[in-house]
Amino acid sequence: MNRQTFSRANGINGFNQVVGFSGPEFDNPKGRAFFWSKSTGMVDVGTLGGAYAQAFAINDSGSITGNSQLASSATGGAAVHAFLSPSPLRAGAIGMRDLGTLGGSFSYGMSINANNHVVGYSTVNNVDSRVHAFLSDGNVMKDLGTLAPSSSNRLEDQSFALGVNSADQVVGYTYLPGPNANTDPAIQPGTSPVSQVAFVWSQGVMKDLNTLIGSAAEKYHLNSAIAINDNGQIVASALSKVTGTRRAVLLKPIGLLPSR
């Protein structure tokens, strides 16, 4: 492995085992995925055959997810796939498993639960740059879809999964049609044609979290949900409609999500 000058930690489990990536420059994507524990120090997780990899999350069994360049991309292509890798501490463990894509050339694994189920996002075809959130059980990658209407444009038809709990409830963000300056005189020209919204996906249904927070939606707009725990609690990013500032928020469900 080439000399690595910088490193970034992205995930930690209940046993203080850490994953991330290390590279020649600050936050350089052309780095190597690592696993760290007190007993092993920093260990190179490997790749799917290409030169580079990044690790983003680890569960308590030490299983890791992230993304890696493929061997075929070493000659100039850009194929990068999400991976599932066992703990480096597990004796006789097989190396990285390629989770594939929903179509197209790349996918990213962003979070992993206790069942080794991975969520992230992937291109959906080889025609355009659209990406959809996915949930993978290690064998099959499920497209979680978006909240965009069927007549939506390419900008709206995208979603990104960032967190998952052991009940396979998934959170992240997607898009809805934004305000139209051409039809609404109150909207300033140049306004974004799409609106980013936080989502929760459970039992096959994706919901806009802004529709689930009652009167709080009058003061805040939830634009991204980052993580969800086994109690259904969600951490998210919110925009204050009063001050225009962004806030980290904790959402505590009260019968809003299906029980596990």
Side-chain angles (χ1 to χ4, degrees), residues 54-171:
Q54 299 173 307
F56 286 100
I58 182 171
N59 64 16
D60 282 352
S61 67
S63 294
I64 303 165
T65 192
N67 64 84
S68 170
Q69 188 180 43
L70 304 187
S72 60
S73 60
T75 58
V80 174
H81 285 190
F83 69 78
L84 173 62
S85 180
S87 168
L89 300 179
R90 181 179 164 191
I94 301 174
M96 279 187 183
R97 181 187 306 175
D98 186 344
L99 297 182
T101 73
L102 296 171
S105 62
F106 77 79
S107 60
Y108 285 72
M110 300 303 296
S111 184
I112 184 170
N113 68 14
N115 303 311
N116 290 343
H117 293 177
V118 172
V119 298
Y121 53 94
S122 167
T123 47
V124 296
N125 58 45
N126 284 309
V127 178
D128 54 44
S129 58
R130 281 181 301 133
V131 298
H132 281 188
F134 72 78
L135 169 64
S136 172
D137 63 3
N139 296 302
V140 178
M141 183 177 284
K142 181 181 181 66
D143 187 341
L144 302 188
T146 73
L147 289 175
S150 58
S151 60
S152 66
N153 60 40
R154 181 177 59 83
L155 294 177
E156 297 161 8
D157 186 25
Q158 300 198 77
S159 59
F160 301 77
L162 302 178
V164 61
N165 65 14
S166 61
D168 285 346
Q169 294 171 333
V170 183
V171 294

Side-chain angles (χ1 to χ4, degrees), residues 4-245:
Q4 307 295 291
T5 309
F6 297 90
S7 61
R8 172 175 174 170
N10 292 320
I12 187 171
N13 65 12
F15 297 97
N16 293 330
Q17 297 169 340
V18 179
V19 294
F21 60 91
S22 177
E25 298 174 4
F26 180 68
D27 271 0
N28 189 313
K30 296 182 177 181
R32 296 293 289 247
F34 73 77
F35 165 93
W36 180 96
S37 71
K38 185 176 181 180
S39 63
T40 64
M42 188 177 287
V43 177
D44 187 346
V45 177
T47 75
L48 292 172
Y52 313 117
Q54 299 173 307
F56 286 100
I58 182 171
N59 64 16
D60 282 352
S61 67
S63 294
I64 303 165
T65 192
N67 64 84
S68 170
Q69 188 180 43
L70 304 187
S72 60
S73 60
T75 58
V80 174
H81 285 190
F83 69 78
L84 173 62
S85 180
S87 168
L89 300 179
R90 181 179 164 191
I94 301 174
M96 279 187 183
R97 181 187 306 175
D98 186 344
L99 297 182
T101 73
L102 296 171
S105 62
F106 77 79
S107 60
Y108 285 72
M110 300 303 296
S111 184
I112 184 170
N113 68 14
N115 303 311
N116 290 343
H117 293 177
V118 172
V119 298
Y121 53 94
S122 167
T123 47
V124 296
N125 58 45
N126 284 309
V127 178
D128 54 44
S129 58
R130 281 181 301 133
V131 298
H132 281 188
F134 72 78
L135 169 64
S136 172
D137 63 3
N139 296 302
V140 178
M141 183 177 284
K142 181 181 181 66
D143 187 341
L144 302 188
T146 73
L147 289 175
S150 58
S151 60
S152 66
N153 60 40
R154 181 177 59 83
L155 294 177
E156 297 161 8
D157 186 25
Q158 300 198 77
S159 59
F160 301 77
L162 302 178
V164 61
N165 65 14
S166 61
D168 285 346
Q169 294 171 333
V170 183
V171 294
Y173 64 94
T174 185
Y175 297 92
L176 290 172
N180 190 331
N182 294 323
T183 59
D184 188 341
I187 303 302
Q188 295 296 317
T191 300
S192 174
V194 297
S195 174
Q196 181 177 316
V197 297
F199 77 76
V200 59
W201 181 96
S202 183
Q203 297 182 356
V205 178
M206 181 181 286
K207 294 183 179 180
D208 178 354
L209 274 170
N210 291 283
T211 67
L212 303 178
I213 60 175
S215 60
E218 299 175 6
K219 297 181 179 180
Y220 296 98
H221 174 79
L222 302 175
N223 60 359
S224 182
I226 313 302
I228 181 170
N229 67 15
D230 287 351
N231 294 320
Q233 295 172 309
I234 298 169
V235 289
S237 171
L239 176 67
S240 170
K241 296 180 179 180
V242 178
T243 64
T245 58

